[in-house]
Amino acid sequence: MTITTAPAGVSLRGVGRAFGDHVVLRDIDLEIAPGEVVALLGASGCGKSTLLRMIGGLDLATSGSVRVDGHDVTGIDPRCAVVFQEPRLLPWRTLAGNVALGLPRGLPRNERDAASRQWLAEVELHGFADHRPRQVSGGMAQRTALARALARRPGVLLLDEPFAALDALTRLRMQDLVEDVQRRSGTTVVLVTHDVDEALKLADRVVLLGGAPTGVSVVLDVPGDRPRDHHQPELAALRSELLAGLGVPRRTPLERETHAR
Amino acid sequence: MTLSGAAEEVRERPATTPRRRWTPVAAALSLPVVVIVAWQVAASSGAYSAAQLPPPLSVLDALADLAGDGSLWTHIAISVQRVLIGFAAGAGLGFLLGAAVGLSPGVRAVVAPSIAALRAVPSLAWVPLLLLWLGIGEGPKITLVAIGSFFPVYTTISAALAHADAHLVEVGRAYGLRGGGLLGRIMLPSVAPAIFSGLRLGLAQGWLFLVAAELIASSMGLGFLLIDSQNTGRTDILLMAIVLLATLGKLCDALLGLVEKRVLRTHK
């Protein structure tokens, strides 16, 4: 089975979101090219998840326009698929049954089942199709959630801190998996994270969100081809810039050397 | 990239041994056995007359007598029929109204306060009105059972749906489910355990209201047997009717429990 999708572009123009009088996001302008991987980086509670939800149509902007593939987003968007921070699997369904939620409606039962199993194989979960969510580990559950999103063949894959609740090793594996799946499917990815290294490892561009109300502080291109190692020296300067932008400045190795002299 | 699923932890449920399945049955039966022994001791001590407290065996005799002339089956059948029809109607209405109130804040605002007020009316208060409106046939009895079954089902379902797991509901929406699809695939399955506890409470309350209906106006049924045996001084039949009510109520609940276990097996 090919997992190729038709990647979609995302265009945010003057996007704002207020809850009552409380303005969370203001004047967000961002163009995301089809097939691009963009990380939205920001401190906790800055509204980065809200921005992601507005692209998927789970939340609607109070000002400005959100467009996917040139069409305004007015509700839940079939071109987008979301992976949440928690796996959010239906506990009464098997893993295959959960993946089926992402498949088109009205498929015959046997086709649906076969497709679910193939998507599970894509996230290295062959053999676990008949397991229940509570029988598998957190990492496997999150991979199932990824398979469910991929089954939708999304133009834009929206990842809302999907690795935040995983242990460090599982997180590294999941990052590799997402990188691999993105490369093979070509889908556009918007990744919300507060992890600078994760953003540098996976993204083509990093969008740093900040201020009150939150706006785009800086947009940085990440040099080098993926898969990337975030210890690459050319990323060190970017890393300190982003950490400083998040309010936790760190010295780069170069600065440390200069300082020691 | 090597990413082996088998390397990760897979939780399996421990197998249950047959021995552990029988222990609860023995434990559940121990208390009734103690009660029957105490009953026998009290009845044969001479402290009570046979009219006040007949021994357990004479209750069994009464059961055999009534079973012999066939009237026992008529009483049981009519009572069970009233409970089943009344429960189906009351629980069905409770389900629909509970779902509407649980899903729609608008319906809730309009309907919920009035239903809460109706629920505060004691069950027996309906009897004169039902007799007046529906006569003395099956109508008032079944209606009273339906009223009894309605409230537990309505209350549990409206509360459960209003508090259905918001995360799962959002996943359903994010994956294109709306309206009936969202209700059938996400919301109802997620509140299925609450639905079943509502149904079981409703069934139990149906039996409660049945006896109330049959005590007041009927010529058949277990409730009639209670009031009739009181009037004729047949304490043995009275006790037998109580034991039968306990048995039938427990049996109905156990059957519903089996259905629940089967439906909810995937929730484990």
Side-chain angles (χ1 to χ4, degrees):
Chain A
M1 180 176 64
T2 168
I3 66 168
T4 330
T5 58
V10 177
S11 163
L12 306 173
R13 293 209 183 123
V15 170
R17 180 69 170 96
F19 295 94
D21 290 337
H22 180 55
V23 182
V24 177
L25 294 166
R26 54 149 177 94
D27 298 331
I28 307 268
D29 289 303
L30 185 62
E31 295 291 330
I32 300 173
E36 194 179 12
V37 180
V38 168
L40 302 178
L41 191 65
S44 294
C46 75
K48 54 192 191 296
S49 286
T50 305
L51 190 59
L52 188 88
R53 294 163 56 83
M54 289 193 294
I55 299 173
L58 284 169
D59 197 357
L60 292 178
T62 39
S63 60
S65 80
V66 179
R67 311 187 102 197
V68 172
D69 222 6
H71 300 283
D72 281 327
V73 173
T74 53
I76 304 299
D77 199 293
R79 293 158 298 184
C80 298
V82 194
V83 178
F84 298 94
Q85 185 173 341
E86 322 78 24
R88 301 197 189 182
L89 301 180
L90 307 179
W92 57 90
R93 288 195 185 186
T94 60
L95 298 194
N98 271 286
V99 173
L101 197 62
L103 291 169
R105 308 265 171 271
L107 280 183
R109 196 196 180 96
N110 53 347
E111 273 180 50
R112 194 180 55 203
D113 203 46
S116 300
R117 283 164 197 273
Q118 277 173 322
W119 285 114
L120 279 173
E122 286 298 332
V123 296
E124 316 267 328
L125 280 178
H126 22 237
F128 290 92
D130 298 321
H131 279 62
R132 304 267 164 205
R134 70 178 55 188
Q135 293 175 290
V136 303
S137 68
M140 291 162 84
Q142 195 59 297
R143 262 146 61 194
T144 308
L146 179 63
R148 175 175 65 189
L150 294 173
R152 213 163 145 80
R153 290 184 182 277
V156 184
L157 181 60
L158 302 170
L159 306 177
D160 190 0
E161 300 197 43
F163 319 125
L166 302 175
D167 66 82
L169 284 177
T170 313
R171 186 181 312 155
L172 288 176
R173 288 170 155 194
M174 274 294 283
Q175 290 170 351
D176 290 343
L177 179 65
V178 164
E179 206 284 319
D180 178 60
V181 159
Q182 193 282 331
R183 194 153 24 82
R184 287 187 292 137
S185 65
T187 181
T188 311
V189 172
V190 183
L191 167 72
V192 160
T193 182
H194 54 245
D195 182 341
V196 171
D197 292 333
E198 182 171 289
L200 291 176
K201 180 176 173 180
L202 294 177
D204 300 319
R205 272 196 301 162
V206 178
V207 177
L208 184 65
L209 299 172
T214 302
V216 174
S217 306
V218 65
V219 180
L220 297 172
D221 288 315
V222 186
D225 288 332
R226 290 178 282 119
R228 237 179 255 123
D229 180 2
H230 64 256
H231 293 302
Q232 279 168 241
E234 64 266 36
L235 297 182
L238 270 182
R239 187 169 183 272
S240 3
E241 184 177 350
L242 288 170
L243 283 171
L246 287 167
V248 276
R250 289 287 182 278
R251 286 188 191 136
T252 63
L254 191 66
E255 281 170 338
R256 263 202 296 275
E257 256 170 56
T258 333
H259 195 77
R261 267 179 219 155
Chain B
M1 182 179 60
T2 54
L3 218 164
S4 161
E8 287 187 45
E9 174 198 5
V10 176
R11 288 172 217 137
E12 295 290 352
R13 272 172 273 157
T16 45
T17 58
R19 199 184 119 79
R20 276 164 66 192
R21 285 170 61 189
W22 282 108
T23 317
V25 177
L29 287 176
S30 59
L31 207 52
V33 168
V34 169
V35 168
I36 289 173
V37 169
W39 176 4
Q40 178 64 45
V41 169
S44 54
S45 70
Y48 305 96
S49 72
Q52 281 177 307
L53 186 68
L57 269 182
S58 72
V59 170
L60 263 185
D61 284 344
L63 185 74
D65 285 352
L66 284 177
D69 71 7
S71 58
L72 179 68
W73 310 121
T74 323
H75 289 303
I76 291 179
I78 193 74
S79 285
V80 168
Q81 180 186 318
R82 285 164 183 161
V83 166
L84 289 186
I85 298 176
F87 172 69
L93 194 66
F95 185 92
L96 291 179
L97 217 54
V101 166
L103 294 175
S104 154
V107 175
R108 171 179 289 267
V110 173
V111 176
S114 302
I115 295 185
L118 280 180
R119 197 173 70 167
V121 177
S123 58
L124 291 182
W126 295 109
V127 174
L129 194 65
L130 291 177
L131 291 178
L132 193 66
W133 284 351
L134 302 170
I136 54 164
E138 290 300 291
K141 298 171 190 83
I142 289 172
T143 308
L144 200 63
V145 171
I147 291 174
S149 300
F150 170 85
F151 287 107
V153 177
Y154 162 83
T155 310
T156 47
I157 288 180
S158 61
L161 281 178
H163 300 109
D165 188 333
H167 272 178
L168 293 186
V169 172
E170 188 177 63
V171 162
R173 289 205 307 126
Y175 284 85
L177 291 177
R178 278 183 297 153
L182 194 61
L183 182 67
R185 284 166 201 247
I186 310 278
M187 302 186 84
L188 286 180
S190 77
V191 302
I195 292 177
F196 272 101
S197 58
L199 288 176
R200 289 174 82 163
L201 282 172
L203 188 58
Q205 194 150 312
W207 278 101
L208 202 72
F209 279 45
L210 168 88
V211 174
E214 289 183 342
L215 275 176
I216 286 159
S218 71
S219 55
M220 276 190 295
L222 293 170
F224 163 76
L225 217 51
L226 282 174
I227 200 80
D228 187 55
S229 55
Q230 184 208 356
N231 291 336
T232 54
R234 290 292 302 272
T235 318
D236 50 347
I237 297 183
L238 206 159
L239 284 168
M240 181 208 71
I242 289 175
V243 170
L244 274 178
L245 281 169
T247 311
L248 285 172
K250 178 65 199 154
L251 203 64
C252 283
D253 189 58
L255 283 176
L256 199 51
L258 282 180
V259 177
E260 174 179 1
K261 213 170 173 180
R262 171 129 190 88
V263 173
L264 297 189
R265 72 193 187 286
T266 56
H267 280 64
K268 297 270 157 51

